[in-house]
Amino acid sequence: VNLTRTTFTRLTLTRTIGQNHLHTPDPQSLTRHHRTSTTPTHKPPNTQNTPHPISSTSRMTKAKKTRKFAVAKKMISPKDIRLKENVVKREEKREATKKKKGPRHVEQAVSALFFQYNTQLGPPYYVLVDTNFINFSIRQKLDIVRSMMDCLLAKATPCITNCVMGELEKLGQKYKVALRLAKDPRFERIPCNCKGTYADDCLVRMVTQWRCFIVATCDKELRSRIRKVPGVPCMYISNYRYTVERMPEAYGAPKQG
């Protein structure tokens, strides 16, 4: 019995060793197998120029964008419709086009004019006097009424408006002689419904409304404004005498060559 047990144990050990021997490979065989596996039997295709589709997509997603330097930001152009200024301009243009298309206001023609000739002008003449005209007449020692009659060769009545009188009163003591002359009974006082006391606007308004006056002034700006009103002559001082422009009937006025 003892012999059989020992033999049985020996048999089992040899079986287990044999199985382990079968499972544990030889190092020489391993090297041979590695050499045979690394040397392929067929040549693989050339894949250098044709990348794999999956690898290319993965590269595109993983590619980092380089930061751009000195690149201007996107800005709205000044002519863009979304800006408030351009919206307001468009509305103004629309209103202007509507006004142009609408009915025009044409001023009524003056019945006293025959082309540029004023038929309402005739003796006795009514002359609207400005503040500077009175001051220059006093400096050059000219009698206003007599000099006007010498210029026009007819009766002339100087007229003064409320605005001109207000300007003379505002000038103070320096022009008290001109104020005293304006209050002469030979001067005719014409009331005007002006809000302010600016004499130039008052005289232009009076002349455009009634074409029966001659304007006497030495102001160049006022004379240029009166020239735009057709049929209204202008009186001024030159060479110590009164002269009238745009009035051929004034035979006493010196001729301007």
Side-chain angles (χ1 to χ4, degrees), residues 49-222:
N49 296 326
T50 56
H52 200 270
I54 299 168
S55 63
S56 63
T57 53
S58 63
R59 283 176 187 173
M60 287 175 67
T61 53
K62 291 179 181 178
K64 292 182 180 179
K65 292 182 179 179
T66 57
R67 189 177 178 183
K68 295 178 180 179
F69 294 94
V71 178
K73 293 182 179 179
K74 291 182 179 180
M75 297 176 69
I76 299 173
S77 66
K79 296 181 181 180
D80 198 346
I81 305 169
R82 294 172 288 179
L83 294 172
K84 291 183 179 179
E85 297 176 357
N86 296 332
V87 173
V88 172
K89 286 180 182 178
R90 285 179 67 190
E91 290 179 357
E92 288 177 356
K93 284 183 180 179
R94 286 178 185 175
E95 290 178 358
T97 51
K98 284 181 182 179
K99 287 180 181 179
K100 286 181 181 178
K101 290 179 181 178
R104 294 184 297 171
H105 176 69
V106 181
E107 292 183 359
Q108 189 176 359
V110 182
S111 60
L113 291 176
F114 181 74
F115 294 102
Q116 291 290 326
Y117 180 73
N118 192 355
T119 57
Q120 284 188 355
L121 284 173
Y125 295 103
Y126 292 93
V127 185
L128 287 172
V129 183
D130 195 12
T131 53
N132 54 18
F133 188 82
I134 298 168
N135 294 330
F136 278 104
S137 299
I138 292 165
R139 285 181 186 178
Q140 297 185 9
K141 297 178 181 180
L142 293 170
D143 188 6
I144 293 174
V145 179
R146 189 178 293 176
S147 299
M148 283 181 182
M149 290 174 70
D150 292 341
C151 177
L152 300 170
L153 294 178
K155 187 181 179 181
T157 56
C159 304
I160 191 162
T161 59
N162 293 334
C163 293
V164 176
M165 190 65 76
E167 275 192 359
L168 287 169
E169 288 173 357
K170 282 183 178 180
L171 291 172
Q173 292 292 325
K174 192 176 180 179
Y175 297 92
K176 63 180 179 180
V177 180
L179 183 61
R180 191 184 298 171
L181 183 62
K183 290 178 181 179
D184 195 327
R186 294 180 297 176
F187 281 71
E188 188 176 344
R189 186 74 173 269
I190 297 174
C192 61
N193 298 321
C194 299
K195 293 181 180 180
T197 58
Y198 189 57
D200 293 357
D201 293 340
C202 178
L203 293 173
V204 172
R205 196 180 297 110
M206 291 282 287
V207 165
T208 51
Q209 195 170 0
W210 295 287
R211 302 297 174 94
C212 60
F213 292 108
I214 300 169
V215 181
T217 181
C218 294
D219 190 3
K220 291 182 179 179
E221 292 181 1
L222 182 58

Side-chain angles (χ1 to χ4, degrees), residues 13-67:
L13 287 168
T14 53
R15 282 180 185 176
T16 53
I17 291 163
Q19 289 177 0
N20 294 329
H21 180 72
L22 289 170
H23 286 290
T24 54
D26 190 11
Q28 293 181 358
S29 63
L30 280 172
T31 54
R32 287 175 188 172
H33 180 70
H34 183 66
R35 286 173 186 173
T36 54
S37 63
T38 52
T39 55
T41 55
H42 64 280
K43 189 177 181 180
N46 189 10
T47 58
Q48 290 180 0
N49 296 326
T50 56
H52 200 270
I54 299 168
S55 63
S56 63
T57 53
S58 63
R59 283 176 187 173
M60 287 175 67
T61 53
K62 291 179 181 178
K64 292 182 180 179
K65 292 182 179 179
T66 57
R67 189 177 178 183

